[in-house]
Amino acid sequence: MSDVKASITAVGGYVPDYVLTNKALESMVETNDQWITARTGIKERRILKQPEQGSSFLGIKACEDLFSKTSTKPEDIDLVIFATATPDMPVASSAAYLATEIGAVNAFSFDLQSACSSFLYGMSLASSYIESGKYQNILLVGADKMSSIIDYTDRSTCIIFGDGGGAVLFSPNNEGLGLQDEILKTDGTGRQFLKIEAGGSQLPASEKTVKNKQHFVFQDGKTVFKFAVSNMAGVSDEIMRKNNLAASDVDWLVAHQANKRIVDATYKRMNLDSEKVLMNIQRYGNTTSATLPLLLSDYEKQFKKGDNIIFAAFGGGFSWGSIYLKWAYNS
Ligand code: UT7
């Protein structure tokens, strides 16, 4: 094993201007602000209104924010990983377009899709590439235009999701800071509970699939909730034990923002104080691949060099996991 670790050296974030409030949803589906707030913690979410702009737009904006804060230049990037469940289009790599648009002319790039765990898995991948010595600067982008796959007449999904993007730069670190450990899992029996049924190779698009609304996200919320609580909390507790971390050793929990109640169950299982828990679900809802980098972007100024951070995510597949990382800089 090499002594080199992969640390985060810059972050960026972007959300579109348009705000979709709980109040506005009340006129679209049978719901109310009180129910949404109590059951999910969400007050509003952002929506990318321009129909011709896909997820790459959100990712590019997040990268622009990142590059405004670092001396690393786009041409210094070796690899761009675009974590997204809503690529601009099938087949043509959205990562390739994004990399070209931001001027990462010396990088190769690819998309990574594992629903809400895409960004977490991307952290593992970026880190492994750097530890191997193959690449130096890896840009990991997480962005999703969830509004493009949501049925705004389905109250079990439309209240939850929002659009957003985030980006982090991974670079080699010789001080022992950066990604320390990971536990990543999948369970394919979960795919019936959270999915878009049509549009893939199993059920290609047809008049019938459009009529049946099979191109929108379907979820059995109750079942997904139960799996999310037990698995995300379980794996976060497990990574602490594996690394001999007491609750007092953990500085921050950066958990996927799917439902405040899932995050609350996770930090309670870890015995953490609530002030160590990063939360922005109230403003953005569930932005899928963007939740973790948007948290980093919003809270960056509070992190200190050497802080112990536990990341956790759970999503479709099912897919989930936890990562232990030491923060590498003071802002
Ligand atoms: O990021 C990917 C992973 N996704 C998740 O982690 C999502 C996990 N699931 C959830 O977050 C929750 O299951 C939901 C927020 C989707 C739903 O919350 P819940 O507490 O599981 O509600 P429920 O589906 O059990 O419904 C409870 C009640 C029902 O009424 P009755 O049968 O008790 O009279 C529903 O009909 O709430 C009703 N309901 C609503 N009421 C107002 C369901 N959705 C709504 C709504 N507004 N939007």
Side-chain angles (χ1 to χ4, degrees), residues 79-95:
L79 165 61
V80 176
I81 302 172
F82 187 15
T84 184
T86 52
D88 288 359
M89 56 180 83
V91 182
S93 157
S94 297

Side-chain angles (χ1 to χ4, degrees), residues 10-319:
V11 303
Y14 175 78
V15 288
D17 294 334
Y18 184 84
V19 178
L20 177 60
T21 61
N22 289 351
K23 202 89 207 134
L25 280 167
E26 285 180 9
S27 62
M28 296 161 71
V29 287
E30 201 183 328
T31 192
N32 59 78
D33 174 42
Q34 198 191 3
W35 190 96
I36 300 172
T37 307
R39 304 295 261 213
T40 70
I42 301 166
K43 296 297 285 183
E44 57 189 43
R45 63 291 290 140
R46 300 300 183 98
I47 305 293
L48 182 58
K49 278 288 186 185
Q50 291 77 356
E52 73 283 3
Q53 286 169 341
S55 296
S56 67
F57 175 83
L58 301 163
I60 289 164
K61 287 285 189 191
C63 291
E64 286 171 3
D65 183 42
L66 180 147
F67 284 117
S68 73
K69 298 190 237 164
T70 176
S71 57
T72 303
K73 303 206 162 20
E75 54 268 31
D76 300 332
I77 305 296
D78 304 307
L79 165 61
V80 176
I81 302 172
F82 187 15
T84 184
T86 52
D88 288 359
M89 56 180 83
V91 182
S93 157
S94 297
Y97 176 73
L98 181 145
T100 297
E101 286 296 301
I102 62 170
V105 288
N106 297 311
F108 79 105
S109 57
F110 57 84
D111 295 349
L112 190 164
Q113 206 288 73
S114 195
C116 293
S117 302
S118 304
F119 192 86
L120 189 85
Y121 289 2
M123 291 176 67
S124 160
L125 193 55
S127 164
S128 301
Y129 270 134
I130 286 174
E131 285 170 17
S132 76
K134 264 189 181 174
Y135 306 111
Q136 304 292 302
N137 294 313
I138 301 183
L139 192 59
L140 173 61
V141 184
D144 271 304
K145 184 181 177 183
M146 293 306 292
S147 60
S148 66
I149 53 169
I150 294 301
D151 173 5
Y152 284 91
T153 65
D154 177 2
R155 69 176 183 174
S156 67
T157 52
C158 75
I159 57 146
I160 296 171
F161 293 98
D163 302 338
V168 305
L169 180 62
F170 278 94
S171 305
N173 184 289
N174 296 308
E175 297 177 285
L177 303 171
L179 198 144
Q180 308 291 311
D181 198 13
E182 64 187 41
I183 303 173
L184 305 178
K185 309 227 179 196
T186 51
D187 174 2
T189 63
R191 86 165 167 180
Q192 58 184 304
F193 304 114
L194 179 51
K195 63 184 172 185
I196 293 178
E197 205 155 27
S201 55
Q202 199 182 37
L203 186 59
S206 68
E207 239 173 81
K208 193 172 159 206
T209 60
V210 172
K211 200 161 149 254
N212 290 344
K213 297 187 165 193
Q214 288 167 297
H215 295 274
F216 292 121
V217 172
F218 159 86
Q219 81 164 344
D220 172 348
K222 245 184 181 28
T223 306
V224 177
F225 185 89
K226 273 187 216 149
F227 274 93
V229 165
S230 80
N231 287 323
M232 203 162 92
V235 83
S236 305
D237 183 51
E238 191 183 337
I239 205 160
M240 283 174 68
R241 288 173 197 280
K242 198 173 156 215
N243 290 277
N244 295 315
L245 292 170
S248 55
D249 298 322
V250 176
D251 295 291
W252 307 103
L253 170 65
V254 181
H256 175 54
Q257 307 281 288
N259 185 318
K260 183 176 182 298
R261 289 186 291 141
I262 300 173
V263 180
D264 286 349
T266 301
Y267 88 76
K268 283 175 184 160
R269 174 85 176 267
M270 297 163 76
N271 282 317
L272 294 188
D273 296 333
S274 60
E275 59 266 27
K276 294 181 174 179
V277 183
L278 274 51
M279 199 77 83
N280 57 15
I281 193 170
Q282 66 282 7
R283 288 188 287 142
Y284 308 144
N286 181 351
T287 55
T288 303
S289 309
T291 59
L292 300 182
L294 274 176
L295 283 171
L296 294 181
S297 170
D298 282 359
Y299 283 82
E300 182 189 18
K301 291 202 163 48
Q302 296 190 40
F303 301 149
K304 298 205 170 40
K305 189 174 174 180
D307 276 358
N308 287 323
I309 305 182
I310 301 292
F311 292 79
F314 181 89
F318 292 135
S319 58

